[in-house]
Amino acid sequence: MKTTLDEMQAFLSVIDSGSISAAAEQLGQTPSGVSRALGRLEDKLGITLLTRTTRRLHLTAEGEAFLRHARAIIDAVESAEEQMAARRERPAGRLRVDAAMPFVLHVVAPLVAGYRARYPEVQLELNSSDRYIDLLERRTDLAIRIGPLADSTLHARLLGRCQLRLVASPDYLARHGEPASVAALGQHTLLSFNEPESLNRWPLPGESDGLLLVRPDIAVSSGETLRRLAVEGVGITCLSDFVTDRDRSAGTLVQVLAAQTLDVYQPIHAVYYRNTAVSSRISSFVDYLADAMAQSDYVR
């Protein structure tokens, strides 16, 4: 074989990251080293894989065809390495995990050091998406999804359920007063999501489905932004317990309208495609995450 795996990996990293400099950082190499690897690959193949402009890289038709083969080869090598490692009962290889930013910050990040100590040969890649992604398109092994599942093409493992609560900072309530009823929320600054509308149904008596649909005074795209605004005393918001657990324990956020709050729980699932075998690295991560969540105060 003329081409090497390192050259193929450099090519794939450039495509996946979008630039030579980003690929170099990902691979722990210099941009010139990655550029030379691409040059060698094109010379060996006798074709142009990428056209370069000052702003971006574009795949040629030949590059798109080679990309499919290169992905298959690298995936096959990773699978072979993983199977050999599994024989030694040591999960190994790259594990790409996607979850909403609040889940990554408040649940996953505190567990990474312990997981890495137990499984040092697994190379974690954590990505944050506030919307559901296509796992195949984004080359993601595992995703954490919060809320009801709709995609029947996915394997899913329930990790737990977290309650939804209204919260605000003591400072905000000291300045504006604590609402004594659901109707009193109309006199307060409400913080919630800009989309989808389903995220703005709070666990209070209200609409035909039993939940209150709120029209936020400040709408954002991220649960972590809502948490930060609430901590800063901007208004009242509604978030899952895994986001606010530490703040409530520390007293920087307190529950609002506790007596009127309905018992609404969000399911949290680990998902992967049905046509993907459960590898040792996926199962090791899901097991570790499930065990840690089961011992937490925010999971029911």
Side-chain angles (χ1 to χ4, degrees):
M1 182 173 66
K2 294 181 179 180
T3 59
T4 67
L5 291 176
D6 286 343
E7 290 163 351
M8 288 187 195
Q9 188 62 65
F11 173 57
L12 293 181
S13 295
V14 169
I15 298 303
D16 292 340
S17 63
S19 71
I20 288 176
S21 58
E25 183 176 351
Q26 186 181 85
L27 296 171
Q29 300 179 15
T30 63
S32 60
V34 173
S35 182
R36 285 195 298 271
L38 284 177
R40 288 195 304 272
L41 183 59
E42 290 180 324
D43 289 342
K44 290 176 181 179
L45 295 173
I47 58 174
T48 298
L49 297 171
L50 296 164
T51 57
R52 303 163 176 80
T53 65
T54 55
R55 292 191 174 182
R56 58 183 304 183
L57 302 170
H58 299 272
L59 275 170
T60 63
E62 293 79 8
E64 290 181 357
F66 184 74
L67 177 63
R68 291 192 294 272
H69 293 296
R71 285 204 194 282
I73 291 169
I74 294 297
D75 287 346
V77 171
E78 288 182 351
S79 177
E81 290 176 342
E82 180 187 331
Q83 290 178 27
M84 295 304 101
R87 287 175 177 267
R88 304 189 305 270
E89 297 182 352
R90 291 208 307 263
R94 187 175 301 279
L95 178 63
R96 301 174 179 88
V97 180
D98 182 272
M101 178 59 77
F103 193 86
V104 173
L105 288 176
H106 297 282
V107 181
V108 177
L111 303 178
V112 168
Y115 176 79
R116 287 280 298 147
R118 184 178 298 182
Y119 303 108
E121 295 182 36
V122 176
Q123 301 161 7
L124 271 179
E125 182 179 307
L126 302 177
N127 297 299
S128 299
S129 302
D130 287 317
R131 296 185 179 184
Y132 287 178
I133 65 165
D134 185 314
L135 272 65
L136 288 179
E137 182 180 319
R138 296 284 291 274
R139 301 192 70 226
T140 297
D141 301 302
L142 177 71
I144 307 301
R145 293 191 171 172
I146 301 164
L149 291 179
D151 193 340
S152 61
T153 66
L154 297 173
H155 272 308
R157 175 173 170 182
L158 181 65
L159 300 175
R161 294 179 175 87
C162 285
Q163 187 170 10
L164 288 170
R165 302 176 196 263
L166 276 67
V167 293
S169 72
D171 174 65
Y172 173 85
L173 297 176
R175 286 184 287 111
H176 299 278
E178 185 169 349
S181 67
V182 175
L185 285 176
Q187 279 69 58
H188 287 268
T189 300
L190 303 184
L191 317 171
S192 199
F193 294 91
N194 52 20
E195 61 175 344
E197 187 178 81
S198 61
L199 293 178
N200 293 332
R201 293 191 178 277
W202 288 10
L204 297 167
E207 307 298 323
S208 58
D209 63 356
L211 302 180
L212 179 69
L213 177 63
V214 302
R215 304 296 179 189
D217 299 291
I218 299 177
V220 303
S221 61
S222 166
E224 185 59 24
T225 303
L226 289 176
R227 174 195 159 271
R228 191 67 221 174
L229 289 172
V231 169
E232 294 296 334
V234 177
I236 298 172
T237 192
C238 177
L239 292 168
S240 188
D241 276 357
F242 76 81
V243 182
T244 64
D245 180 59
R246 290 184 180 85
D247 292 306
R248 287 183 290 110
S249 295
T252 52
L253 289 177
V254 296
Q255 187 172 1
V256 176
L257 292 175
Q260 293 90 337
T261 297
L262 305 172
D263 288 335
V264 176
Y265 293 86
Q266 287 185 316
I268 301 174
H269 290 90
V271 300
Y272 55 92
Y273 270 99
R274 283 189 171 181
N275 60 358
T276 302
V278 182
S279 69
S280 59
R281 63 179 182 268
I282 291 177
S283 59
S284 71
F285 187 82
V286 173
D287 289 344
Y288 193 89
L289 181 58
D291 289 345
M293 290 178 64
Q295 298 173 41
S296 71
D297 295 328
Y298 54 79
V299 168
R300 298 291 183 268

